[in-house]
Amino acid sequence: MSIAEIKKNAEQKMLKSIEAFKVELSKIRTGRAHPGILDQVQVEYYGSMVPLSQVANVSLQDARTISVQPWEKGMGAKIEKAIRESDLGLNPSSQGDLIRVPMPPLTEERRKELTKVVKSAGEDTKIAVRNLRRDANEHAKRLLKDKEITEDDDRRSQDEIQKLTDKTITEIDKLVQAKEAEVLAV
């Protein structure tokens, strides 16, 4: 493995960490409705558990309400039960075939808790990125030990990997700040 491959591999893994962090942030709900909040809800469908999006159309009705339209008539009660039993704290109500999921307003205390959750998730992602940096540097050290690269190449690769790490951590910090502002906005 060359230094370029090590750097490229580390960069790809860091980008995947950021994408996973963005998915994690999308699950943290603010006062506004977002169809992605229901992505992790599983519904029983003919004996197996499937994601809600595979048995119903999930869309926004307005800024504070998500509408769920089941594709089959008998699924409404199961979908409503699955949403109610999820740990999202939502209380759906059905109107015929349509299920409305109103988003309750957040209390100030809950907003502060959510900012702590956001910061914690950000720190976890930073730790993952730093671990990727360490792994990449260890690969470079192994190449140096096996005399496949020079000490100058090793130093240069460590500098490049550090710059990549700094850039990634800065992006994570920006995502954390943006989500905190979103959560704290009334």
Side-chain angles (χ1 to χ4, degrees):
M1 186 179 273
S2 70
I3 289 178
E5 290 171 333
I6 291 171
K7 184 180 170 203
K8 184 178 179 189
N9 190 17
E11 186 173 14
Q12 288 173 342
K13 288 181 178 179
M14 286 181 189
L15 287 174
K16 285 181 184 174
S17 293
I18 287 178
E19 289 305 312
F21 180 55
K22 287 179 181 176
V23 168
E24 188 71 27
L25 286 181
S26 72
K27 292 178 184 175
I28 297 174
R29 104 180 148 79
T30 59
R32 277 183 251 119
H34 183 275
I37 291 170
L38 299 177
D39 283 350
Q40 72 245 29
V41 175
Q42 298 282 315
V43 180
E44 185 190 340
Y45 185 66
Y46 291 108
S48 61
M49 298 304 280
V50 296
L52 177 60
S53 60
Q54 291 184 8
V55 295
N57 184 28
V58 180
S59 60
L60 287 180
Q61 190 166 354
D62 58 51
R64 293 198 164 270
T65 310
I66 299 172
S67 68
V68 181
Q69 180 74 46
W71 291 327
E72 291 183 21
K73 280 195 182 268
M75 290 301 296
K78 290 181 181 180
I79 291 171
E80 196 173 341
K81 180 181 176 202
I83 294 171
R84 194 169 278 120
E85 290 177 352
S86 69
D87 60 349
L88 298 172
L90 300 174
N91 192 19
S93 63
S94 59
Q95 297 174 326
D97 287 341
L98 182 70
I99 299 169
R100 296 179 70 232
V101 185
M103 300 301 292
L106 295 174
T107 63
E108 190 62 31
E109 183 179 319
R110 180 69 178 138
R111 288 177 194 276
K112 288 178 180 172
E113 284 177 29
L114 287 176
T115 58
K116 289 178 185 174
V117 170
V118 168
K119 286 180 182 176
S120 174
E123 279 306 312
D124 291 346
T125 305
K126 288 181 193 178
I127 290 169
V129 167
R130 291 183 192 117
N131 288 338
L132 292 171
R133 175 190 61 193
R134 184 198 63 221
D135 293 345
N137 285 338
E138 285 176 0
H139 279 298
K141 289 269 188 239
R142 224 175 288 130
L143 290 176
L144 177 64
K145 183 180 171 197
D146 296 341
K147 299 192 187 317
E148 293 181 31
I149 61 171
T150 64
E151 286 184 22
D152 290 342
D153 290 338
D154 178 50
R155 172 64 45 211
R156 197 175 311 109
S157 74
Q158 285 186 21
D159 289 345
E160 289 172 357
I161 290 168
Q162 183 60 47
K163 286 178 186 171
L164 179 64
T165 303
D166 292 343
K167 184 181 103 178
T168 305
I169 286 179
T170 301
E171 189 170 341
I172 291 167
D173 286 337
K174 286 179 185 174
L175 289 169
V176 167
Q177 288 174 345
K179 189 64 175 186
E180 282 180 341
E182 183 182 333
V183 167
L184 292 174
V186 177

